[in-house]
Amino acid sequence: MNQFEHLAKSVVYSIQGSKVALVHKDRTLKLIGEGRSAFAFLIEGTDLVLKVFFPQYSKIAEEEAEIYQQLTGNDFFPELHESGSNYLVIDYVRGLTLYQCLVNGMPIIPDHIEEVDHALKMAREKGLNPSDIHLRNIIITPDDDVKLIDVARFRQTKQCSQWDDLKTAFYKFYTHDRFPKRLPEPAMNLIAFFYKKGLLPSIN
């Protein structure tokens, strides 16, 4: 058993209905993310993230590992260092998500949007179909570069309009001088809720 597999096996959680609670982990793991299918941990003393998937999502772990392998050489995405039956080890990306930028009033500029477009174009050239692109999986690094994470849905066959909708909203609303560049988190969550329910009017 190697180091990463040992760390993944140290993660213990309880499942109650649709909720998953972390019960135990190795002391060198710092919890930095909780999703529907996995926990993400920063490994102490490294710039690596261990993503541990819940049992019912082991196929997603395999799928995401394969997608990261396809994206090798694309600097807009973290590098995959190792994978196992229920875990991935990828680069830790420092910075703020676009969601955090909006909540904290950090400026988002057209160059960032163009970089995301370029990253997605490069992914399509690898035969992928980028999907589920949202504010929480696009990161602006301290060097003002763009990185994208969470690529598990980059092989789905249906077309996803999320990024096109975000890009349209950016140019139609965010770039206007009167648009608030800082939005309270409750307002952001409410907008996301209405969007997912299809209750927002079309902005195209």
Side-chain angles (χ1 to χ4, degrees):
M1 184 186 304
N2 66 33
Q3 173 198 6
F4 298 129
E5 186 179 0
H6 174 77
L7 290 174
K9 287 184 179 298
S10 78
V11 177
V12 179
Y13 41 81
S14 64
I15 302 175
Q16 296 182 345
S18 61
K19 293 186 177 181
V20 181
L22 180 62
V23 175
H24 180 268
K25 62 178 179 59
D26 189 275
R27 62 177 181 78
T28 63
L29 297 178
K30 177 184 178 183
L31 182 65
I32 59 172
E34 302 178 53
R36 290 173 297 178
S37 60
F39 286 134
F41 304 91
L42 176 63
I43 303 174
E44 184 181 279
T46 75
D47 284 321
L48 298 175
V49 168
L50 174 71
K51 190 171 181 180
V52 181
F53 290 79
F54 311 138
Q56 65 269 40
Y57 297 109
S58 58
K59 287 297 292 182
I60 296 180
E62 180 183 348
E63 181 91 350
E64 190 162 3
E66 291 175 358
I67 292 170
Y68 273 122
Q69 288 171 346
Q70 276 186 262
L71 290 166
T72 298
N74 186 333
D75 292 337
F76 289 103
F77 297 88
E79 180 182 348
L80 176 71
H81 293 270
E82 189 179 305
S83 63
S85 60
N86 71 326
Y87 71 90
L88 308 176
V89 180
I90 59 175
D91 292 328
Y92 174 55
V93 180
R94 301 180 187 279
L96 295 177
T97 65
L98 292 192
Y99 178 92
Q100 290 169 324
C101 288
L102 286 168
V103 169
N104 292 287
M106 301 294 291
I108 302 169
I109 61 175
D111 284 355
H112 296 144
I113 305 303
E114 292 170 12
E115 282 196 66
V116 175
D117 268 338
H118 184 55
L120 299 179
K121 178 177 181 291
M122 292 176 68
R124 293 187 188 99
E125 290 171 352
K126 294 279 190 176
L128 297 168
N129 179 32
S131 305
D132 195 32
I133 312 298
H134 54 75
L135 296 175
R136 294 181 189 270
N137 60 20
I138 302 170
I139 298 173
I140 308 299
T141 73
D143 293 328
D144 208 34
D145 295 323
V146 165
K147 293 278 189 179
L148 284 78
I149 58 173
D150 294 340
V151 299
R153 296 182 183 172
F154 273 35
R155 282 181 175 171
Q156 66 181 36
T157 55
K158 69 177 183 179
Q159 294 303 309
C160 177
S161 68
Q162 278 187 241
W163 173 244
D164 288 335
D165 292 341
L166 285 173
K167 188 166 58 171
T168 300
F170 173 82
Y171 287 112
K172 192 168 184 178
F173 301 113
Y174 182 87
T175 55
H176 286 196
D177 291 340
R178 294 183 181 179
F179 186 86
K181 299 303 184 284
R182 183 172 186 172
L183 294 171
E185 193 163 3
M188 292 287 296
N189 292 336
L190 191 61
I191 292 170
F193 173 81
F194 283 128
Y195 175 82
K196 288 178 181 177
K197 294 293 185 181
L199 299 175
L200 291 179
S202 173
I203 56 175
N204 292 307

